[in-house]
Amino acid sequence: MKDTLLRWFHKWGSPKWFYDLSGRWMPWLAGLSLICLLVGSIWALAFAPMDYQQGNSFRIIYLHVPAAILAQSAYMLLAILGVITLVWRMKMTEILATACAPIGASMTFLALVTGSLWGVPTWGTWWIWDARLTSMLVLLFLYLGIMALQDAIRDPSSAARASAILAIVGVINIPIIKYSVEWWYTLHQPATFKLTEKPAMPMEMWLPLLMMLIGFYAFFAWSLLLRARHQVLIREQKTRWVTQLLDAKPATKSDPSESAKS
Amino acid sequence: MYFASFADFLSMQGHGIYVWASYALGLVLILANLLVPIWRTRRLRQRLQRRLQSTAAPAKELNS
Amino acid sequence: MHKTNTTSLAQAVGVCIRREFLLLVRRPSDLLNPLLFFALVSLLFPLGISPTEAILQPVASGVVWVAALLATLLSLDSLFRQDLLDGSLEQLLLTPHPLSVLVMAKVGVHWLMTAIPLILMAPVLGAMLYLPTQAQGVLMLALLLGTPVLILVGAIGAALTVSLRKTGVLLTLMVLPLYIPVLIFGTSAVHAAAQDLPADGQLAFLGAILSLTLVLAPLGISAALKVSVRQ
């Protein structure tokens, strides 16, 4: 048991192993995410019935909800990777955590914008200080703070460890922030229309949502691997396996014969 | 199909602009998150390969 | 602290406290500037919004809190910087004593020297913003509970950015979102007191946040210092 655990740890510390494995995973993730997103959005846009209260603007939910869920789980992942980075000092979790932040930030941004676009027909205004929108905005700033810190520290390993600490502090704070913002919202304006209220969704509304959710998660994993592989190549560019990799598979179209000879 | 006509599908009873703007932004963000790392990796590989060839080139020229 | 083998933890903490105290006293600008900033920001609001009581009074608690928050943040930039430059931060990391305890001593002195004057000054600014008299006590109490949280959480950010040449807005960007709960409960406590409502609940929340921060932040600060100094 201990042996397999050790081997597992060793593997996750190895960028080469990750590069090979992710190369094999990526086509599957790409296929899954593209199919789910395409089918899901066509289903959501053209075939799902409209909500009797909110009309067709309800179709934004199929984008808004997966983006919001993904934004939150990406932050959780960031903090979990941060703990692993700090405790076991694994190279791969540093790389994955660094790759995670920009995707999470863009999903938070998407959730915010779709939420406010949804607000125009439902609330009649594009922004209100709704508890959920406000905590999403705070989440966006938490992401941006982490990205700014990553950007400011030159050494990638130190940057990853510093932002890991910030991510953990943030994840402890998130429930407190959420609670306080909700409390603040109920204090200042009584809820007239709540997004939180889950209407009893019929099956033909649930299925496309589920499909979009799977598609978003697969897209997240795909994008995460793409970014992480880029980081791996940068960090490992001097190593033997990267040199061999580049020799064997030329990315340049200019001189295939040259590399074929060598 | 839920809508009667294509024009109906586009307008979505007046809500079309919000729905389509949301989906357009979603498409842009998803594509950006995929294409930017792909492009960056491609550029990086080209640069590394050039460097590799430039260090290996003198030896090859001597051989040929 | 060079003969650490013979010093007990209490002695080490005592040395840390004394050193921090002396350093702050010798650089009075570090103490005064945040206070001036606090007053100046509060002055901008009557000028920017309106000097009338009807408009200023409802926002007074928020203005004082936001100004206090920014002033605290401003004072944190220099918290570890000087120690890193003169090498004493590395000494601190090398002592056999638990770093989190020593850091707490340092941060505690910083709080006493910067936040207490700020808390004493707050009622003056509150009065200038037409904050009702019955709310002044709650304002000071809320600041008393809230400022340690601000300093402790901010110290994590300061520790993370200590080795960077240019921090500028970075520290603010990292730390301000984490201040939101304190801001919400702090302002609403004062707001409630201004309307003759009980503010116990909000103060209790502030106390809960404070105790959570007191337990966790020292660990975060020492971990952050280790990451920053090692690079």
Side-chain angles (χ1 to χ4, degrees):
Chain A
M1 176 61 203
K2 201 186 161 209
D3 231 36
T4 51
L5 204 68
L6 268 178
R7 212 166 53 225
W8 190 79
F9 268 154
H10 180 72
K11 274 181 177 171
W12 274 102
S14 153
K16 180 185 183 321
W17 177 79
F18 169 81
Y19 198 88
D20 293 342
L21 187 73
S22 63
R24 262 177 285 143
W25 280 0
M26 274 211 302
W28 296 98
L29 285 173
L32 181 67
S33 69
L34 288 180
I35 289 171
C36 281
L37 286 177
L38 204 68
V39 174
S41 47
I42 290 173
W43 194 347
L45 281 170
F47 294 99
M50 86 179 180
D51 187 73
Y52 70 97
Q53 259 183 330
Q54 300 171 40
N56 279 313
S57 63
F58 176 76
R59 293 176 200 284
I60 297 177
I61 206 179
Y62 298 108
L63 204 57
H64 174 78
V65 168
I69 291 175
L70 195 56
Q72 286 169 3
S73 36
Y75 201 91
M76 284 301 292
L77 181 65
L78 197 60
I80 293 168
L81 290 171
V83 171
I84 301 174
T85 301
L86 291 176
V87 175
W88 290 294
R89 311 202 165 176
M90 273 191 233
K91 219 188 243 179
M92 267 331 295
T93 54
E94 285 178 9
I95 291 173
L96 284 172
T98 315
C100 194
I103 314 172
S106 54
M107 284 304 107
T108 316
F109 180 71
L110 179 63
L112 267 177
V113 174
T114 49
S116 82
L117 278 171
W118 192 7
V120 181
T122 31
W123 296 317
T125 168
W126 64 272
W127 179 264
I128 63 165
W129 291 96
D130 166 68
R132 300 214 315 167
L133 281 179
T134 312
S135 18
M136 262 297 164
L137 191 62
V138 177
L139 185 65
L140 181 63
F141 280 114
L142 287 175
Y143 271 123
L144 294 180
I146 286 177
M147 284 165 71
L149 185 65
Q150 279 174 351
D151 198 49
I153 301 176
R154 188 66 63 79
D155 174 48
S157 184
S158 302
R161 286 151 54 75
S163 47
I165 293 177
L166 190 59
I168 294 167
V169 174
V171 99
I172 296 171
N173 253 282
I174 280 180
I176 305 175
I177 294 175
K178 268 199 142 155
Y179 177 76
S180 63
V181 166
E182 259 160 41
W183 185 84
W184 158 84
Y185 180 66
T186 49
L187 190 77
H188 283 273
Q189 38 210 131
T192 46
F193 181 86
K194 271 209 274 186
L195 287 183
T196 19
E197 224 171 88
K198 278 207 186 69
M201 274 216 229
M203 199 57 137
E204 56 268 38
M205 284 184 178
W206 259 116
L207 280 179
L209 185 61
L210 189 67
M211 199 134 203
M212 288 296 271
L213 197 61
I214 296 170
F216 263 79
Y217 269 105
F219 146 76
F220 174 71
W222 183 18
S223 179
L224 189 69
L225 291 184
L226 280 174
R227 278 178 196 273
R229 281 161 69 91
H230 180 241
Q231 279 293 317
V232 165
L233 281 183
I234 289 180
R235 286 206 194 185
E236 303 279 304
Q237 52 180 285
K238 301 252 165 59
T239 59
R240 207 187 149 93
W241 71 267
V242 172
T243 318
Q244 281 172 347
L245 181 86
L246 291 175
D247 246 6
K249 274 194 283 177
T252 40
K253 286 155 263 159
S254 52
D255 47 356
S257 57
E258 189 72 18
S259 48
K261 259 190 283 174
S262 55
Chain B
M1 185 93 177
Y2 180 78
F3 296 97
S5 70
F6 192 69
D8 215 22
F9 178 52
L10 282 184
S11 76
M12 293 196 173
Q13 296 162 353
H15 290 165
I17 181 158
Y18 310 116
V19 176
W20 289 111
S22 295
Y23 278 81
L25 181 77
L27 185 69
V28 167
L29 282 177
I30 286 175
L31 281 183
N33 266 306
L34 295 172
L35 292 180
V36 168
I38 288 176
W39 284 332
R40 276 196 195 155
T41 310
R42 184 177 294 166
R43 265 215 311 275
L44 178 74
R45 288 184 78 139
Q46 282 172 355
R47 209 178 62 225
L48 290 179
Q49 225 152 25
R50 265 203 302 278
R51 208 177 61 197
L52 206 66
Q53 279 160 6
S54 69
T55 51
K60 269 179 200 158
E61 273 164 21
L62 277 179
N63 285 344
S64 57
Chain C
M1 267 185 287
H2 47 280
K3 40 173 190 172
T4 40
N5 286 337
T6 54
T7 47
S8 68
L9 180 58
Q11 275 173 310
V13 168
V15 170
C16 269
I17 289 176
R18 220 171 74 87
R19 180 174 181 279
E20 188 67 18
F21 179 75
L22 283 177
L23 279 177
L24 277 172
V25 169
R26 282 181 196 154
R27 275 180 297 146
S29 69
D30 275 11
L31 294 178
L32 281 176
N33 288 354
L35 282 180
L36 287 177
F37 180 84
F38 182 44
L40 196 58
V41 169
S42 312
L43 170 74
L44 290 180
F45 281 87
L47 292 175
I49 305 173
S50 159
T52 54
E53 187 176 348
I55 293 174
L56 273 183
Q57 193 180 4
V59 296
S61 64
V63 169
V64 175
W65 261 102
V66 169
L69 204 121
L70 293 175
T72 312
L73 202 57
L74 198 72
S75 74
L76 284 170
D77 200 40
S78 57
L79 186 59
F80 297 113
R81 180 73 36 83
Q82 204 59 41
D83 288 358
L84 183 78
L85 292 179
D86 65 18
S88 54
L89 195 59
E90 272 175 66
Q91 299 281 315
L92 204 67
L93 289 174
L94 288 173
T95 58
H97 304 299
L99 180 60
S100 46
V101 177
L102 301 181
V103 157
M104 272 301 274
K106 197 176 152 54
V107 173
V109 175
H110 190 85
W111 176 76
L112 274 177
M113 304 285 284
T114 59
I116 295 290
L118 194 139
I119 294 170
L120 293 176
M121 206 170 135
V124 180
L125 294 175
M128 284 167 80
L129 295 167
Y130 304 109
L131 192 70
T133 331
Q134 73 269 21
Q136 299 282 18
V138 173
L139 172 66
M140 289 174 79
L141 196 57
L143 281 171
L144 197 68
L145 289 170
T147 43
V149 179
L150 302 182
I151 288 186
L152 282 166
V153 172
I156 301 176
L160 286 173
T161 54
V162 66
S163 59
L164 298 176
R165 191 89 26 95
K166 277 194 302 178
T167 49
V169 199
L170 179 61
L171 181 64
T172 320
L173 192 58
M174 283 163 49
V175 170
L176 270 187
L178 305 172
Y179 281 180
I180 287 170
V182 175
L183 178 71
I184 288 176
F185 289 121
T187 48
S188 90
V190 181
H191 208 69
Q195 292 169 326
D196 284 321
L197 293 169
D200 307 354
Q202 290 91 325
L203 292 175
F205 275 120
L206 280 179
I209 294 174
L210 174 61
S211 32
L212 184 72
T213 317
L214 273 175
V215 174
L216 293 178
L219 303 173
I221 298 169
S222 50
L225 281 176
K226 279 176 192 155
V227 168
S228 284
V229 176
R230 230 176 46 89
Q231 63 186 345

